[in-house]
């Protein structure tokens, strides 16, 4: 596939240099994209601004059928889109199909929800005044997305932006632009007007700089590393852009002695090994109450040892390759650091290179809080497990992080669970649940995990400006 950039309804960039897109499972080139920079980004912003004049004036009821047509086309093309995801980032094909359904769910949910963007009428203290509050689309939006969910991270931003009347310039990750291009081709087929969606690929730094410093852009929505998030925040200070930042995480999971142990083991495995551990909300460290520690470890190891690693297009595979060599080396570094400081590998512990970079699902025990793996995002298929005595101890160790995205805990006690949920300093809490992401729920983090929420009514509100009209009568 030869990908181009998309501006004002046209596929452009014939003259631009090409970049290769690689399959991380086979190290083969599966397509090319164009290397755009500042001038193409400027053009995309101008096109989005022009389209905003008409798109923002449509009613949500007029935008609804267009968005639903896009949603339906995505589902009709589920198999081929899923194959593209697996080919460009490696996840098992079943997970890619799940991602397409999840990605489409943002479009239908926000297309509906935009019909319920209400203003307010406030009783005034002055008899001769009426107070009206109205909500309007914020303007041109810039979206920068990561490679780990090539479809869902895009639609989670594009759907609320478009449904609320904004237009958008998107820059997908250089590793996974082909899924983005295919999604946008379908948006054109659905009849979404020219200029409403624009796509630039290529030089991330140059494109990012233009998107953050161009005063036409009124909102930046970014999912990626905390490091790049901080940089974009600094750059956009100049233009005072509204920001949604969904950054790194380091999710703890607390397993209490009254938990259903088998269910907790399954949820931890589902959370940790999905996408080979390359998700920002995956379980990164497990705290198990000391009374059930041995039983939990035994059950966990039995199941983890059975997980099948390999190429994602093989239907039997549960854990695909890591995205690249750097990711592989980080996993190795975390395991080496942990074992050097006294941790024990109970299953897995090693990787192999077979054109792509693969890592065995790994369980580490005897871990301590000073190990790198207990402090930094691993982004790989490794679970470090330790024990705790009291809930207060578990909560305090879980909260001891600069991140605050997702946290999990397992207990059958309502009082105990509510206490833990209230004390955890995380934006997303999975209570007896290892898969909390839903289009209708607010997703996002506290502390250095970011700003704002995506999904739910919060995820729509963030694309709206509030206007107050004081009417003298
Ligand atoms: P990861 O380490 O998971 O690749 P990044 O934060 O580096 O996370 O990348 C997430 C997204 O941010 C990608 O689309 C990438 O191209 C983009 N990106 C990386 N560096 C910059 C930058 N300096 N300015 C703008 N975007 C950037």
């Amino acid at each position: 596939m030869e990908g181009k950039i998309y501006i004002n309804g046209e596929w452009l960039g014939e003259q631009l240099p090409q970049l290769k897109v690689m399959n991380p499972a086979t190290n083969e080139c599966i397509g090319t994209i164009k290397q755009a920079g500042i001038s193409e980004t400027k053009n995309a912003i101008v096109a989005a601004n022009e389209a905003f004049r008409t798109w923002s004036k449509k009613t949500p009821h007029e935008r609804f059928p267009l968005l639903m047509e896009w949603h339906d086309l995505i589902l009709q093309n589920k198999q081929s889109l899923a194959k593209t995801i697996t080919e460009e980032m490696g996840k098992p094909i079943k997970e890619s199909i799940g991602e397409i359904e999840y990605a489409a769910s943002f479009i239908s949910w926000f297309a509906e929800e935009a019909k319920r963007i209400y203003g307010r009428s406030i009783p005034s203290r002055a008899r001769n005044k009426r107070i009206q509050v109205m909500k309007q689309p914020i303007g041109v939006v810039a979206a920068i997305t990561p490679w780990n969910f090539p479809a869902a991270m895009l639609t989670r931003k594009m759907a609320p932006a478009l449904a609320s009347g904004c237009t958008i310039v998107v820059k997908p990750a250089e590793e996974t632009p082909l899924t983005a291009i295919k999604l946008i081709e379908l948006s054109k087929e659905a009849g979404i007007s020219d200029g409403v969606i624009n796509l630039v690929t290529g030089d991330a730094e140059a494109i990012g700089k233009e998107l953050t410093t161009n005063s036409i852009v009124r909102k930046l929505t970014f999912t990626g590393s905390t490091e790049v998030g901080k940089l974009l925040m600094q750059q956009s200070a100049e233009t005072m852009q509204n920001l949604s930042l969904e950054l790194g995480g380091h999710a703890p999971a607390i397993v209490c002695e009254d938990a259903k142990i088998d269910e907790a083991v399954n949820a931890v495995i589902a959370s940790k090994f999905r996408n080979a551990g390359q998700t920002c909300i995956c379980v990164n460290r497990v705290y198990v109450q000391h009374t059930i520690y041995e039983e939990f470890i035994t059950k966990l190891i039995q199941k983890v040892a059975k997980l099948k690693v390999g190429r994602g297009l093989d239907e039997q595979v549960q854990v695909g390759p890591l995205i690249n060599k750097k990711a592989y080396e980080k996993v190795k570094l975390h395991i080496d650091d942990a074992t050097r400081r006294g941790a024990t590998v109970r299953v897995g512990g090693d990787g192999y290179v077979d054109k792509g970079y693969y890592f065995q699902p790994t369980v580490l025990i005897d871990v301590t809080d000073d190990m790198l793996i207990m402090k930094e995002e691993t982004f790989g298929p490794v679970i470090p497990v330790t024990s705790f005595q009291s809930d207060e101890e578990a909560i305090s160790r879980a909260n001891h992080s600069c991140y605050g995205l997702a946290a999990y805990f397992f207990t059958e006690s309502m009082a105990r669970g509510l206490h833990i949920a209230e004390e955890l300093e995380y934006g997303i809490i999975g209570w007896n649940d290892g898969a909390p992401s839903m289009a209708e729920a607010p997703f996002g983090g506290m502390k250095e995990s970011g700003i704002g929420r995506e999904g739910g009514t919060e995820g729509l509100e963030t694309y709206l400006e509030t206007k107050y009209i004081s009417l003298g009568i």
Side-chain angles (χ1 to χ4, degrees):
M1 178 177 180
E2 273 190 40
K4 296 198 180 136
I5 59 174
Y6 185 66
I7 299 175
N8 203 24
E10 284 189 75
W11 293 99
L12 305 171
E14 200 57 65
Q15 77 293 351
L16 294 171
Q18 281 188 336
L19 294 171
K20 284 184 181 169
V21 182
M22 306 301 285
N23 180 337
T26 60
N27 202 26
E28 283 162 3
C29 176
I30 49 167
T32 56
I33 50 165
K34 298 295 179 186
Q35 189 172 12
I38 292 175
S39 71
E40 294 78 20
T41 309
K42 275 192 202 307
N43 292 344
I45 294 169
V46 168
N49 198 34
E50 189 59 31
F52 181 74
R53 298 204 303 190
T54 44
W55 184 254
S56 61
K57 295 290 179 291
K58 284 188 189 294
T59 70
H61 294 263
E62 289 168 326
R63 293 190 286 259
F64 178 81
L66 294 167
L67 290 168
M68 286 311 294
E69 180 63 20
W70 187 30
H71 165 271
D72 295 348
L73 284 171
I74 290 172
L75 291 183
Q76 282 161 27
N77 289 276
K78 183 161 65 179
Q79 298 295 338
S80 81
L81 286 167
K83 187 160 173 274
T84 304
I85 292 183
T86 295
E87 283 175 348
E88 63 180 356
M89 66 73 55
K91 71 174 61 167
I93 188 74
K94 269 192 208 135
E95 287 186 28
S96 296
I97 290 173
E99 181 182 341
I100 293 298
E101 290 166 354
Y102 176 54
S105 75
F106 285 103
I107 301 175
S108 53
W109 196 82
F110 280 109
E112 284 286 3
E113 191 61 13
K115 296 175 188 168
R116 290 175 281 276
I117 295 174
Y118 301 129
R120 255 149 67 229
S121 175
I122 302 172
S124 166
R125 66 183 58 213
R127 274 196 204 149
N128 60 344
K129 287 191 180 196
R130 299 290 180 269
I131 298 173
Q132 297 297 329
V133 179
M134 64 166 67
K135 299 281 176 179
Q136 293 181 312
I138 203 164
V140 173
V141 174
I144 300 178
T145 55
W147 50 264
N148 60 349
F149 287 89
M153 293 305 100
L154 266 182
T155 56
R156 190 158 79 176
K157 299 178 187 318
M158 291 166 86
L162 265 54
S164 61
C166 299
T167 55
I168 197 162
V169 178
V170 300
K171 194 214 79 67
E174 43 276 40
E175 294 87 349
T176 58
L178 304 181
T179 307
I181 289 170
K182 288 191 169 181
L183 286 174
I184 289 172
E185 281 172 353
L186 293 176
S187 78
K188 190 171 172 68
E189 203 178 319
I192 293 178
S193 327
D194 293 349
V196 171
I197 299 172
N198 304 274
L199 165 119
V200 283
T201 53
D203 184 343
E205 244 174 77
I207 296 170
K209 186 85 198 219
E210 183 60 30
L211 290 176
T212 46
T213 55
N214 189 316
S215 59
I216 294 174
V217 178
R218 292 318 316 141
K219 178 177 178 71
L220 172 73
T221 170
F222 170 77
T223 301
S225 61
T226 296
E227 188 193 348
V228 174
K230 286 181 181 177
L231 174 78
L232 295 173
M233 189 174 181
Q234 279 170 3
Q235 288 178 185
S236 67
E238 202 181 305
T239 42
M240 280 287 168
Q241 287 172 350
N242 176 299
L243 293 178
S244 290
L245 303 174
E246 204 265 275
L247 310 176
H250 197 266
I254 299 170
V255 187
C256 301
E257 61 189 353
D258 66 342
K260 290 182 177 160
I261 296 182
D262 293 300
E263 269 107 324
V265 166
N266 290 341
V268 164
I269 289 175
S271 169
K272 176 77 253 187
F273 295 108
R274 188 162 65 111
N275 214 0
Q278 302 173 110
T279 81
C280 47
I281 62 162
C282 71
V283 167
N284 260 267
R285 48 201 164 110
V286 183
Y287 303 89
V288 183
Q289 196 148 17
H290 67 106
T291 43
I292 56 160
Y293 184 70
E294 290 304 330
E295 185 184 352
F296 182 89
I297 295 280
T298 307
K299 289 183 164 169
L300 182 70
I301 287 166
Q302 274 170 5
K303 292 203 162 169
V304 171
K306 288 187 190 142
L307 293 172
K308 186 165 186 275
V309 182
R311 294 182 181 173
L313 287 179
D314 173 348
E315 297 266 350
Q316 309 306 316
V317 160
Q318 293 155 295
V319 180
L322 294 170
I323 188 73
N324 54 30
K325 186 174 181 204
K326 196 170 146 212
Y328 179 87
E329 281 171 354
K330 185 168 190 194
V331 175
K332 254 192 157 343
L333 172 77
H334 277 194
I335 294 178
D336 290 349
D337 171 79
T339 49
R340 202 162 8 92
R341 293 176 197 249
T344 310
V345 174
R346 286 296 300 274
V347 62
D350 213 350
Y352 61 93
V353 183
D354 173 16
K355 295 187 181 138
Y357 291 89
Y358 296 84
F359 219 96
Q360 291 296 343
T362 299
V363 177
L364 287 174
I365 61 164
D366 307 326
V367 292
T368 47
D369 294 351
D370 60 328
M371 296 172 180
L372 274 182
I373 199 160
M374 297 298 274
K375 295 188 285 197
E376 284 181 15
E377 212 171 12
T378 309
F379 242 56
V382 188
I383 305 184
V385 191
T386 182
S387 65
F388 70 89
Q389 303 276 334
S390 70
D391 289 6
E392 294 319 312
E393 177 200 338
I395 292 164
S396 151
R397 289 169 70 190
N399 282 341
H400 190 71
S401 172
C402 64
Y403 295 113
L405 187 56
Y408 304 86
F409 65 86
F410 301 86
T411 173
E412 289 301 299
S413 158
M414 185 60 76
R416 189 174 189 179
L418 277 176
H419 173 67
I420 297 173
E422 284 168 10
E423 292 301 314
L424 285 172
E425 295 161 359
Y426 289 83
I428 303 161
I429 306 283
W431 177 352
N432 296 341
D433 182 16
S437 312
M438 299 278 166
E440 55 273 32
F443 183 108
M446 302 180 180
K447 301 183 188 168
E448 293 184 33
S449 288
I451 296 175
R453 297 293 180 268
E454 295 189 297
T457 48
E458 289 86 348
L460 188 62
E461 176 70 32
T462 189
Y463 291 90
L464 300 168
E465 270 293 7
T466 299
K467 191 176 279 175
Y468 154 47
I469 301 161
S470 179
L471 173 66
I473 52 170

